[in-house]
Amino acid sequence: MVAKNGSIYSQGSIKKYNCQFCDYSSLNSGHVRRHILTHTGERPFKCNICGRGFTQKNNLKKHMLVHFT
């Protein structure tokens, strides 16, 4: 069987990652780490100009346009 990311695995070796706070689970550990931020309120990506925090680097990059346009 082939996963969406192209890796090959057998039916019995699928690794599932679970949220420690709710029933959310994913085959991708990064998705679960990002999801956990919804429970903890952590915003690890901070704007160095205004201090606003974001849960995803992509959102910080979009926000930076506010300061430079």
Side-chain angles (χ1 to χ4, degrees), residues 25-55:
S25 65
S26 175
L27 298 177
N28 185 307
S29 64
H31 291 175
V32 175
R33 281 195 306 269
R34 185 175 64 213
H35 165 79
I36 287 174
L37 297 176
T38 65
H39 297 292
T40 64
E42 180 185 1
R43 294 177 174 266
F45 301 98
K46 303 281 185 207
C47 175
N48 59 0
I49 296 172
C50 70
R52 186 171 176 189
F54 299 89
T55 58

Side-chain angles (χ1 to χ4, degrees), residues 1-11 13:
M1 189 176 281
V2 179
K4 285 184 181 178
N5 67 4
S7 63
I8 299 171
Y9 57 88
S10 65
Q11 193 75 24
S13 67

